[in-house]
Amino acid sequence: MYNKNIGSKLGEPARRLLETYSKVPSDEVEKHVYTIRDEAWKVWPYPCIGQFRFLDLSISHSPHYPAILERLKTGDENFLDLGCCFGQDLRKLAADGAPSEHLYGSDLRPEFFELGYKLFRDKATLKSRFLVGDVFDASSPLSELDGKIDIIYAASFLHLFGYEDQIKVCKRIVKLLKEKKDSVVLGRQIGSSNAGEQPLRNDPTKTRWRHNEESFKKMWGEVGEMTGSKWRAEVSSEPWAGESENGQSSWNNGSIIRLRFAVFREG
Ligand SMILES: C[S@@+](CC[C@H](N)C(=O)[O-])C[C@H]1O[C@@H](n2cnc3c(N)ncnc32)[C@H](O)[C@@H]1O
């Protein structure tokens, strides 16, 4: 779904980030966002691009954000934005004082990394590394980070896949994270109060799994058993207040929810 107008999506935090971190003159910010958004839409039409949801800087809405930021500010911990697209959440952390050389981004499509640099005008200053890779490819450059990450952010990511593939991604996440207490993966995504497989918008022969709080926790129980590790999943949900993903009013029959999660390693 492509929104022609930015409406209220350019909130104060995103505007401040673009004006102060990226040094985009305030009267050019909106035009700048439209231009880069349209370039990204041509790469792949994700709803989070079409609906300007990348401007939410969603990591900062997590109740764990202050603690995560403090952990990163020590310079002893590494952060990975998995499926980062523009990498806006990584920029938010950098602007708030996290050392950027400890922040990594990864995505299937390298075009998004370049668009992230263009959006945030920081190619010369940001010390973060962006690794191209399919999360399902064990031999991708992402494997360089195996066992080295303390905090993973995975927003609007797991919900792209069916249940079996989500299990595979979670196992990959376990492998990327350090084997220690309080390694954590957090994020937000679309879910459904009636958890289950749902047909893909563009290809009804494929499905993706929409979680509710219970099914998400259960999945992490399974992942723990499969990987010999123990996880505590904090999950909350709220009714979906956003727009339809496909422009159809029938899209949300009341069951669509937004899930927020933080899954901590316990053992
Ligand atoms: C819906 S976007 C979410 C972007 C960002 N995390 C956010 O919250 O705005 C999903 C991202 O995951 C990436 N992606 C999709 N499939 C992937 C895969 N198999 N491996 C790695 N990245 C993938 C896409 O290229 C895209 O940038």
Side-chain angles (χ1 to χ4, degrees):
M1 163 84 172
Y2 178 91
N3 285 5
K4 241 179 128 191
N5 296 315
I6 202 162
S8 59
K9 289 305 278 182
L10 181 59
E12 207 274 320
R15 175 173 276 283
R16 190 167 2 110
L17 186 66
L18 287 162
E19 288 182 9
T20 58
Y21 172 84
S22 310
K23 312 269 188 295
V24 181
S26 62
D27 57 345
E28 291 174 23
V29 168
E30 220 173 274
K31 185 168 171 289
H32 178 65
V33 172
Y34 277 117
T35 305
I36 312 292
R37 186 284 296 256
D38 285 352
E39 282 187 49
W41 182 254
K42 284 186 209 136
V43 176
W44 199 265
Y46 284 111
C48 55
I49 295 172
Q51 299 180 351
F52 298 98
R53 270 189 250 149
F54 55 94
L55 296 173
D56 291 352
L57 309 177
S58 64
I59 194 167
S60 61
H61 302 303
S62 163
H64 298 285
Y65 185 70
I68 295 292
L69 183 61
E70 285 314 305
R71 282 173 63 170
L72 290 170
K73 277 183 175 174
T74 62
D76 297 329
E77 301 209 8
N78 294 320
F79 171 92
L80 170 67
D81 190 345
L82 187 61
C84 64
C85 197
F86 295 116
Q88 68 275 2
D89 293 294
L90 184 155
R91 264 60 173 222
K92 171 71 178 151
L93 284 164
D96 286 347
S100 66
E101 62 272 30
H102 289 281
L103 310 177
Y104 297 84
S106 125
D107 204 283
L108 191 57
R109 300 175 207 283
E111 301 94 316
F112 288 143
F113 302 158
E114 287 309 315
L115 288 167
Y117 285 130
K118 271 171 96 170
L119 181 61
F120 293 104
R121 299 189 169 169
D122 59 357
K123 194 156 189 174
T125 51
L126 187 75
K127 298 195 190 97
S128 304
R129 284 180 55 210
F130 293 93
L131 305 169
V132 185
D134 182 340
V135 72
F136 299 106
D137 176 2
S139 63
S140 86
L142 197 56
S143 55
E144 194 191 311
L145 299 180
D146 283 346
K148 297 197 174 121
I149 301 296
D150 300 88
I151 300 158
I152 290 180
Y153 193 55
S156 300
F157 188 65
L158 285 164
H159 73 200
L160 299 174
F161 310 111
Y163 193 82
E164 288 312 313
D165 278 346
Q166 289 196 31
I167 293 271
K168 285 184 197 157
V169 177
C170 292
K171 285 163 86 175
R172 191 77 189 81
I173 286 172
V174 172
K175 204 169 167 197
L176 283 158
L177 286 170
K178 287 183 190 161
E179 276 186 42
K180 67 166 181 59
K181 191 175 176 308
D182 286 339
S183 282
V184 60
V185 53
L186 64 158
R188 73 164 192 187
Q189 63 188 39
I190 289 175
S192 170
S193 49
N194 306 315
E197 299 281 357
Q198 299 194 353
L200 273 191
R201 252 174 324 134
N202 306 329
D203 181 357
T205 63
K206 294 190 186 136
T207 59
R208 56 185 165 186
W209 178 277
R210 296 285 200 221
H211 280 286
N212 59 21
E213 295 179 34
E214 292 70 34
S215 71
F216 193 85
K217 286 182 184 165
K218 186 166 161 284
M219 177 174 75
W220 273 95
E222 286 174 34
V223 171
E225 277 175 28
M226 287 175 193
T227 55
S229 52
K230 205 162 172 271
W231 299 84
R232 173 174 53 84
E234 288 181 15
V235 196
S236 64
S237 62
E238 62 199 50
W240 178 258
E243 293 160 63
S244 148
E245 281 217 322
N246 56 7
Q248 291 166 6
S249 53
S250 60
W251 182 74
N252 187 353
N253 58 9
S255 63
I256 305 293
I257 53 177
R258 171 169 275 162
L259 280 185
R260 290 181 202 281
F261 60 87
V263 188
F264 293 88
R265 186 159 184 149
E266 299 238 289

